[in-house]
Amino acid sequence: MNQQAKSCYLKSNDKSLLTVYLPDKKLIILGRCPETNVTDTQCSRQQVQLYADYQEYKVFIQQFGKRSCGFNGFKTRKDVKFIGKHDDYLEILYGKHIYQIEFNPPPQKTSLSEKRTRDSEICNDNEENSPKLAKLEVDNIDVTSPKETIQENESQKEKKHVKNAHGILKYINRNKMSLDKFGNEDNIVDLDTKQDIWEIQEDGALLIYTSQGMESRSKVAAYDMDGTLIKTKSGLVFPKDYDDWQLIYPDVPVKLQKLYNDGYMIVVFTNQASIGSGRINAKSFRNKLRNVIQKIGIPMQIFIATGYSIYRKPAIGMWQKMEEKNNSIFIDKENSFYVGDAAGRAKNWAPGRKKDHTSADRLLALNLDLKFYTPEEHFLGHKQAPYTLPTFNPKNLSNEEICSGSNITSSSQEIILMVGCPGSGKSHFVKCHLNHYSYVNRDTLGSWQKCITMMEKHINEQSSVVIDNTNPDCVSRQRFIEVAKKYNVPVRCFVMLTNIDHAKHNNKFRELTDPNHVKVSDVIINSYVKNYQEPSLEEGFTEIVHINFVPKFEKEEDRQFYEMYLLE
C-alpha cells in the first residue's frame, strides 16, 4: 500500500453517539462509557476491544463483553477476531449503537476489474455467498492478538489469507457502501456474483438491487416485500435480525416462476426507512435480498426507498425509476399488476387478523392505475376483503368558487388577517390574490412582536396589509385587531376551509416538490386543530370571509402529481 492513514475514527449517524478516535497500534476498549455516550445497560462497560493499524488500513475487532457485538450485520463471538476496514460497520451491541470505521485519508480505491481478479484468487466461485455460510466457517478466522498478527512474517500472512478465503473475509472485503459518502452522481457497485448490480442513487434515497439474468420486459408483476413475499420466522412484526425471514407461502417461487415464464418482469418495491435512519445496516440488508432472490430462484429487480422522499410509497418515484431503467421498453400497465399487504383493511378483515398498518400499497396502485391484489388474493385465491380509502381524495378537488358573496380585495386601506393551519393554503392564496398587499409573516420575521412592528410600519405608509400567520385563537388574533383599532383601519378575517387531511396532503406535496420547504410535522397540525377557536365578529372584525383552497399549477406534471395519494 502506497499511503498510510493519518487518523482513524468510529463515526455514527446517530447523533446521540460520540465520535471515537482510534489511535495507531494502541489497544482500546469501548462499551457503555463516556467515550461513546452509550448508556444502554445491556451493554457492558468493556464491550469490545479495538486495535487500529494505520499502515494496513485495518481495525482488529474482538468482542469483550457477554453479549454479542455486530460486524457488517453478523453476530460476533468472544473467541473470534474480525478485521475491519474503511467504511465497515461495527455495532457495539448487535443491532444497536451503529458505528462506521473511517480512515483519513481513505485507502486508495480498487478498480472493479482488480477487485474481481482478487476475489477470484481468494474465493471459490461455486460456493454460495450467504451470511449463513459465513457463520458456519467463522472458526477459520485468526484469533491471535493484534500485536502477534502484526508481527507475523509474510509467509504466515499468506497462509492465513488463503485459510480465511473460504470464511467470512470474502464478505468483509467487498466494495464498501456508505449512504452518506456519495455525491450527486449515481453510483454502481458490482456484487461478488459479477452479474448482480447494487446501485445507490440520489445520495442513498434509493437503492436498487438487480439480480443476475434480469432483463427488461413490457409486462410487470410488482410486489411489496415484507408481508407480501416474506414474513418473519419469529412471528414478530419486525425481524429481530437479518436471518429472521421466510417465504410467506410455500408456493411463492412456483407462482413467480410461472409469471416469469409468461413474460412478466418481476419487480419489488419496498419502503425501508430504517436504512436511512441507520437502524438497519444496508450491507446486511443487501445480503438478505440476495438470499431471498436465491430462495425464490428467478431474476428480479428490487427498489428500496430508504427515507421519506419521492421514492417512498405511495408516491410513484420507484415505479418511474423502473420505467427509466427499462431500456426504452414501454410498460404495458393494462397487463401489469401490483401486490401488497398495506391495503387499508380494518381489524378482523379475516377472523383474528389485525388491521393493515397503512394503505400505501393499494394507494400506489391507484396512483399508477394498476390492478391491485393483496397477498391472500394473489397467492391463495381469496375473495377481496373489505377496505377503506382515505377520506380525502386529491382527485376530488372542490369546484366551488374561492369565496362567494364577498370581494377578495378592497379599494380602501384595510387589514386582512389570515386564519388556517399549516398547509391550508394561506400563503398560496395570498400569493395568487393579495400580492399587492403589504405582507407580514411570522415565519420570516421570527416573532409576533416583529409582526406588529412591521404591520404598523405598513399602516403608516398607507398600505393595506395581509397578516399571513396561522392565528388559531382569539388571543393571537386580538394583538393585530388592537393595532388596527389604534390606527382606525378596518380588519377582515379570511378563514381557510381546508380540512386537516387536505392540509397534510398539501404539506406532503410541498415537502416532495420543494427542496427548500421546511417539513411540518403532523403534531403541529394536530395541535393547531386542538387549539382552534372559530373567529367571530365580536372579536372586532368587519367581515369574516371563508376561503376554499383552489390550487394553481405552473406545470401539468405538478397537477398530476398533486392529484395522487401522497399520505400513507
Side-chain angles (χ1 to χ4, degrees):
M1 188 171 293
N2 296 328
Q3 64 178 6
Q4 176 175 325
K6 296 182 179 179
S7 63
C8 181
Y9 292 91
L10 295 180
K11 293 188 175 182
S12 177
N13 289 330
D14 185 343
K15 294 182 180 179
S16 67
L17 298 179
L18 300 178
T19 297
V20 179
Y21 171 67
L22 301 182
D24 185 28
K25 296 182 180 178
K26 182 178 179 181
L27 190 68
I28 68 168
I29 297 177
L30 298 175
R32 176 163 46 93
C33 59
E35 288 77 11
T36 61
N37 203 35
V38 172
T39 58
D40 188 344
T41 55
Q42 291 186 335
C43 181
S44 171
R45 289 186 176 87
Q46 296 183 327
Q47 176 65 23
V48 58
Q49 61 180 13
L50 303 105
Y51 183 94
D53 186 332
Y54 288 11
Q55 180 66 40
E56 297 292 330
Y57 277 88
K58 294 179 180 178
V59 176
F60 297 88
I61 303 167
Q62 189 165 14
Q63 176 188 332
F64 206 70
K66 291 183 179 181
R67 291 183 171 85
S68 294
C69 303
F71 179 69
N72 287 339
F74 303 130
K75 276 188 176 181
T76 63
R77 294 208 317 245
K78 293 186 72 172
D79 60 341
V80 175
K81 186 178 284 87
F82 291 81
I83 301 176
K85 295 187 178 181
H86 181 71
D87 277 355
D88 275 341
Y89 288 91
L90 169 67
E91 300 162 12
I92 302 297
L93 272 181
Y94 183 63
K96 297 181 178 180
H97 320 307
I98 302 171
Y99 277 97
Q100 192 171 22
I101 298 171
E102 181 180 291
F103 280 100
N104 293 302
Q108 294 177 344
K109 292 184 178 180
T110 304
S111 68
L112 287 176
S113 59
E114 290 173 341
K115 179 185 180 299
R116 289 170 179 165
T117 302
R118 183 189 66 206
D119 286 348
S120 65
E121 291 173 351
I122 67 171
C123 297
N124 183 344
D125 289 337
N126 293 325
E127 286 187 293
E128 180 183 5
N129 292 332
S130 70
K132 186 177 291 185
L133 178 63
K135 291 180 180 178
L136 290 172
E137 299 183 344
V138 75
D139 290 332
N140 290 331
I141 294 180
D142 172 30
V143 294
T144 57
S145 70
K147 291 184 179 180
E148 291 172 345
T149 303
I150 293 167
Q151 293 171 354
E152 287 179 332
N153 60 41
E154 291 303 316
S155 62
Q156 288 174 316
K157 286 184 180 179
E158 184 175 351
K159 289 179 181 178
K160 198 171 297 294
H161 186 66
V162 173
K163 186 178 181 181
N164 286 335
H166 302 296
I168 198 170
L169 281 183
K170 69 179 179 180
Y171 299 98
I172 65 176
N173 280 332
R174 290 179 183 155
N175 276 3
K176 307 301 183 290
M177 186 194 72
S178 173
L179 298 185
D180 57 355
K181 297 291 183 185
F182 293 101
N184 293 326
E185 295 183 356
D186 294 346
N187 295 273
I188 301 178
V189 179
D190 272 14
L191 300 180
D192 289 349
T193 56
K194 299 181 183 178
Q195 288 88 355
D196 287 0
I197 299 294
W198 177 255
E199 299 178 61
I200 302 138
Q201 301 199 353
E202 302 288 340
D203 293 330
L206 177 66
L207 308 178
I208 307 173
Y209 188 117
T210 305
S211 70
Q212 177 183 356
M214 182 70 185
E215 58 184 35
S216 300
R217 295 178 174 183
S218 62
K219 294 191 298 183
V220 176
Y223 297 85
D224 175 45
M225 187 171 72
D226 298 307
T228 299
L229 293 178
I230 63 174
K231 62 181 180 180
T232 62
K233 288 187 292 188
S234 63
L236 300 173
V237 176
F238 300 104
K240 62 182 182 180
D241 56 39
Y242 306 114
D243 293 324
D244 185 17
W245 69 272
Q246 61 182 344
L247 294 180
I248 191 167
Y249 304 117
D251 61 345
V252 166
V254 176
K255 180 80 171 182
L256 269 61
Q257 182 69 62
K258 184 179 185 305
L259 288 165
Y260 181 77
N261 293 342
D262 289 342
Y264 281 87
M265 180 169 64
I266 310 301
V267 178
V268 175
F269 300 119
T270 178
N271 289 344
Q272 299 290 337
S274 294
I275 293 179
S277 67
R279 293 196 302 273
I280 291 181
N281 183 309
K283 185 179 295 184
S284 298
F285 188 77
R286 181 182 72 185
N287 289 336
K288 175 181 177 179
L289 295 182
R290 175 186 294 158
N291 293 337
V292 171
I293 292 173
Q294 288 177 345
K295 183 74 172 179
I296 294 175
I298 58 170
M300 63 177 65
Q301 192 170 45
I302 302 178
F303 294 80
I304 307 121
T306 64
Y308 295 88
S309 69
I310 192 70
Y311 297 110
R312 184 174 177 85
K313 297 178 294 185
I316 63 172
M318 287 192 284
W319 177 275
Q320 290 176 322
K321 183 61 69 172
M322 178 204 68
E323 289 181 316
E324 178 185 314
K325 297 178 67 64
N326 203 40
N327 294 322
S328 300
I329 296 177
F330 178 76
I331 299 296
D332 179 7
K333 285 188 178 182
E334 182 68 26
N335 290 300
S336 299
F337 61 86
Y338 180 64
V339 181
D341 67 313
R345 295 168 293 183
K347 183 179 179 181
N348 291 323
W349 58 266
R353 297 297 296 269
K354 296 180 180 179
K355 74 171 186 176
D356 292 339
H357 54 291
T358 71
S359 302
D361 289 325
R362 189 182 296 276
L363 298 182
L364 173 65
L366 286 171
N367 286 341
L368 292 168
D369 197 22
L370 284 176
K371 291 187 287 290
F372 175 77
Y373 306 99
T374 64
E376 294 76 15
E377 295 162 9
H378 180 66
F379 291 110
L380 304 179
H382 288 185
K383 293 182 179 180
Q384 186 181 82
Y387 65 90
T388 56
L389 291 175
T391 54
F392 172 70
N393 184 346
K395 284 185 170 61
N396 298 335
L397 294 177
S398 172
N399 292 320
E400 297 177 348
E401 296 180 9
I402 295 174
C403 64
S404 59
S406 299
N407 294 321
I408 293 179
T409 61
S410 172
S411 58
S412 303
Q413 186 183 26
E414 68 169 345
I415 307 298
I416 292 180
L417 190 70
M418 301 299 300
V419 173
C421 70
S424 61
K426 300 184 307 300
S427 299
H428 179 82
F429 170 80
V430 170
K431 178 181 177 182
C432 293
H433 302 284
L434 298 172
N435 55 4
H436 58 290
Y437 278 49
S438 294
Y439 183 73
V440 174
N441 173 253
R442 182 170 179 170
D443 290 340
T444 55
L445 294 175
S447 67
W448 67 264
Q449 291 90 343
K450 290 182 179 180
C451 289
I452 294 293
T453 301
M454 186 60 66
M455 174 186 175
E456 290 186 299
K457 176 179 179 295
H458 291 314
I459 290 176
N460 287 324
E461 294 170 347
Q462 303 302 309
S463 297
S464 290
V465 185
V466 56
I467 312 297
D468 181 19
N469 297 339
T470 57
N471 300 314
D473 52 35
C474 296
V475 173
S476 61
R477 296 190 288 262
Q478 197 61 39
R479 298 165 182 156
F480 300 100
I481 295 172
E482 291 299 326
V483 173
K485 287 181 179 179
K486 173 183 173 182
Y487 290 94
N488 197 29
V489 178
V491 184
R492 290 195 294 164
C493 180
F494 281 26
V495 182
M496 301 301 299
L497 296 180
T498 314
N499 64 43
I500 186 171
D501 293 325
H502 193 171
K504 290 179 179 180
H505 176 85
N506 286 345
N507 273 312
K508 191 65 177 179
F509 176 79
R510 290 191 296 178
E511 181 185 333
L512 295 177
T513 57
D514 182 3
N516 298 318
H517 174 66
V518 178
K519 181 178 179 180
V520 179
S521 71
D522 287 352
V523 174
I524 294 176
I525 297 177
N526 294 334
S527 175
Y528 175 92
V529 173
K530 180 180 178 180
N531 297 315
Y532 177 72
Q533 295 174 339
E534 186 74 24
S536 66
L537 294 175
E538 285 73 18
E539 294 180 48
F541 297 115
T542 58
E543 185 182 18
I544 296 176
V545 181
H546 293 97
I547 304 296
N548 292 307
F549 175 68
V550 180
K552 291 185 178 180
F553 305 99
E554 295 180 359
K555 301 177 182 178
E556 174 61 18
E557 61 188 40
D558 290 339
R559 183 194 64 78
Q560 292 176 357
F561 183 60
Y562 184 87
E563 292 182 356
M564 294 182 182
Y565 289 103
L566 303 179
L567 302 174
E568 298 177 46

